[in-house]
Amino acid sequence: MLPRPRLIALTAGAASATAFAPLDWWVAGLICFALLLRLTHEAPTLRQALLRGWLFGLGHFTVGNNWIQHAFTYQDRMPPVLGYFAVVLLALYLAVYPAIAMGLAWRFGRASALRRPGLPFVLIAGAAWIVTEYLRGVMFTGYPWNPLGVIWLPLPGVAQLAGWTGTYALSGLTVVVAGTLYLATLRSYRPLAGAAVAAGAAALLLNPAVTPPRPGAPLVRVLQPKIGQETTLDGTRAERSMLALTTLSNDRATMLPGGAVPRLIVWPEGAVDYWIEDGYPPEWYNRADPFVVRQRIAQTLGPKDVALVGGTGLLFGGDKQLDAATNSVFSIDAAARIHGRYDKAHLVPYGEYLPMRTILQPLGLSRLVMGDVDYAPGPGPATMEVPGFGKVGMQICYEIIFSGQTVDAANRPTILFNPSNDAWFGAWGPPQHLAQARMRAIEEGLPILRSTPTGISAIIDAHGGIVAAAGMNEARAIEAPMPAALPPTLFARLGNWAAWLVAGLLLLSAIAIRRFAR
């Protein structure tokens, strides 16, 4: 029995967060989760098992979400110190899910307090983790940040399993691998050997080969202007951002020799602080005429080029009063015409809208994104037909973290565009966000274009590999032939039913092993 199990659970949970980007210490993560399973099995009561799982989750999510505090430094309605409380309060809630997983493992996987743990306990823990991580992604609008399966990205062959099982199921299998380490400390080596063989086989058989772009593929160009959130507070963001992005869009020194090859040029989330659409009441045009704004963008385009530009839309009521705003992407051609618009569907609570506004606003709370009205959600994952470039799926900012919710299955795109603004999120948030976008590429078999103001922007192939990237706080445009899409993966066809299938197989395996042992 380990001494001070509660302190060990909290410490191990905090250390387990180092398995994710930017550190990627995945071995340390497996060791910490092995320790969690030991603490769970040694718990004398269900209540103690739940408490140990909760303390582990508290440490895990506090460290893993430390970047959220950084966002509070870029608004003037609440003191930045509230950011530290926000991180801990969020972790207090998120820790409930590991607690439930460990409670289920203790209740249904721990055969006897006198017996050593066996493989059924580990398999049930893996199944429970799949269920609770899925619930974390859907309950109360969902927050599946840093799913455990993402730690395998440094091992591309293992990470490709997400294309078969999805990320949630891969997270449960990761718990099983950690459990085999725990069993090995009890001199039960066969499960560990089996896990090592399975991981080795995946690494060899699924290790992705580079898929070349199709012949004659158009070019894609991703812009990163290095415009931080501090410019929002000093009022210079709108024009500085426009100048930086139009310069990068037309920077000949960073263009590939293509002649008449069309380019799809993508701008970050919210890059244009001027209105882009026409049709608003005249008093709203006091900053700049929308047509002039589009002309400035169009002047950087070749005759066959198209720009996907992040901006803000406005929604007015019948009395011409502003009702809401939209976080949008506009498709603009060389003639300054708008060909399409996508509105972000999965909005960030407390970021883009304030839940229970009538209660929380009088208490002095506000949303982090500036403005006097909340954002309104769009209809959901959508595919935009972009002339000359085919079908482009849209996922703005953290919409990309929701496994199984990123693609319109009825109108499958050939590439995904993920504009974001990670300038809010310090040193840990951007690489974690990028890692989760790479997992979506693997799951769906689709390349992703990711553009942010300060990094990390990237062109990601359909295997989750980085074709080109602009690093943190680097002003740069990156350009490459459009990566090819793969045929729909098994996960793309099944969605998160794959997670439930794997959870069921783990549970049935645990039952079969236990009955066979009798």
Side-chain angles (χ1 to χ4, degrees):
M1 300 286 286
L2 290 172
R4 299 183 180 273
R6 297 178 187 178
L7 178 60
I8 292 175
L10 181 65
T11 304
S16 70
T18 63
F20 300 96
L23 300 177
D24 290 319
W25 295 349
W26 58 273
V27 174
L30 292 178
I31 293 171
C32 290
F33 273 84
L35 188 55
L36 170 63
L37 292 177
R38 176 175 176 177
L39 290 167
T40 300
H41 193 271
E42 290 181 352
T45 64
L46 175 60
R47 182 177 179 180
Q48 285 298 314
L50 290 166
L51 178 59
R52 294 175 187 188
W54 184 82
L55 288 169
F56 182 95
L58 179 61
H60 178 82
F61 291 114
T62 297
V63 175
N65 288 299
N66 71 80
W67 52 271
I68 291 176
Q69 184 281 326
H70 199 71
F72 283 74
T73 64
Y74 294 120
Q75 49 78 49
D76 55 3
R77 297 188 179 185
M78 294 179 290
V81 71
L82 280 180
Y84 296 101
F85 292 100
V87 171
V88 175
L89 286 173
L90 179 62
L92 290 172
Y93 157 67
L94 294 175
V96 169
Y97 295 99
I100 294 173
M102 293 304 102
L104 291 171
W106 189 95
R107 175 63 181 83
F108 297 105
R110 184 175 178 269
S112 169
L114 301 177
R115 293 178 55 183
R116 295 198 309 174
L119 189 56
F121 168 72
V122 170
L123 295 174
I124 291 173
W129 193 271
I130 293 172
V131 172
T132 55
E133 191 167 270
Y134 171 81
L135 292 175
R136 177 162 67 91
V138 298
M139 296 292 290
F140 308 111
T141 79
Y143 185 69
W145 191 269
N146 278 353
L148 185 56
V150 81
I151 72 171
W152 295 110
L153 279 172
L155 301 178
V158 179
Q160 299 308 305
L161 285 171
W164 297 79
T165 68
T167 302
Y168 299 136
L170 184 56
S171 295
L173 295 174
T174 304
V175 171
V176 172
V177 172
T180 64
L181 293 177
Y182 169 38
L183 297 181
T185 65
L186 303 174
R187 298 187 178 182
S188 179
Y189 298 112
R190 282 186 295 179
L192 177 60
V197 169
L204 291 174
L205 298 176
L206 300 178
N207 192 39
V210 176
T211 303
R214 60 180 173 83
L219 300 177
V220 292
R221 185 174 180 85
V222 177
L223 308 184
Q224 180 174 295
K226 191 185 173 183
I227 301 294
Q229 285 301 116
E230 64 278 358
T231 58
T232 302
L233 298 180
D234 65 23
T236 65
R237 180 179 176 84
E239 190 57 27
R240 285 181 60 183
S241 181
M242 179 65 81
L243 287 173
L245 286 161
T246 52
T247 300
L248 287 173
S249 179
N250 205 29
D251 181 9
R252 303 293 174 181
T254 57
M255 290 183 184
L256 296 178
V261 177
R263 297 178 304 156
L264 180 64
I265 303 172
V266 298
W267 294 35
E269 175 190 18
V272 178
D273 278 353
Y274 302 118
W275 311 133
I276 296 176
E277 289 181 307
D278 301 307
Y280 297 157
E283 60 269 22
W284 286 88
Y285 293 157
N286 56 2
R287 293 195 295 177
D289 182 87
F291 181 70
V292 174
V293 173
R294 296 199 304 273
Q295 279 188 317
R296 293 180 67 182
I297 297 169
Q299 287 169 359
T300 70
L301 305 178
K304 297 182 179 180
D305 295 349
V306 175
L308 298 179
V309 176
T312 302
L314 300 178
L315 301 176
F316 294 88
D319 55 359
K320 294 187 179 182
Q321 294 297 310
L322 181 63
D323 286 342
T326 61
N327 188 350
S328 303
V329 170
F330 301 89
S331 173
I332 301 173
D333 67 11
R337 295 172 298 195
I338 297 176
H339 280 274
R341 166 178 148 181
Y342 168 77
D343 297 337
K344 184 178 181 182
H346 211 131
L347 300 176
V348 182
Y350 304 99
E352 292 164 313
Y353 69 98
L354 185 65
M356 300 180 293
R357 176 174 286 277
T358 57
I359 298 174
L360 297 181
Q361 190 169 11
L363 297 177
L365 295 179
S366 177
R367 58 185 177 88
L368 293 175
V369 179
M370 294 182 179
D372 295 324
V373 298
D374 285 337
Y375 284 76
T383 300
M384 185 185 295
E385 188 72 38
V386 179
F389 300 92
K391 297 180 177 182
V392 181
M394 303 287 172
Q395 290 287 288
I396 297 177
C397 195
Y398 101 138
E399 286 185 308
I400 201 70
I401 73 173
F402 292 90
S403 175
Q405 302 179 46
T406 56
V407 170
D408 180 1
N411 190 17
R412 179 176 165 85
T414 57
I415 195 167
L416 290 173
F417 174 40
N418 176 222
S420 187
N421 182 3
D422 291 1
W424 300 76
F425 299 140
W428 281 45
Q432 290 177 1
H433 207 173
L434 173 65
Q436 291 167 95
R438 293 174 63 189
M439 292 300 286
R440 298 295 85 74
I442 295 170
E443 284 180 340
E444 301 291 347
L446 293 174
I448 296 177
L449 306 178
R450 179 166 168 76
S451 177
T452 73
T454 58
I456 305 168
S457 301
I459 300 171
I460 304 168
D461 68 23
H463 296 292
I466 303 296
V467 175
M472 290 283 291
N473 297 311
E474 180 181 11
R476 186 182 173 193
I478 53 177
E479 188 169 290
M482 180 182 286
L486 298 175
T489 63
L490 180 63
F491 179 80
R493 297 177 186 276
L494 295 180
N496 281 318
W497 286 108
W500 293 100
L501 178 62
V502 173
L505 289 174
L506 291 178
L507 182 59
L508 290 175
S509 298
I511 295 171
I513 292 171
R514 184 168 289 171
R515 288 189 175 181
F516 180 77
R518 291 176 182 174

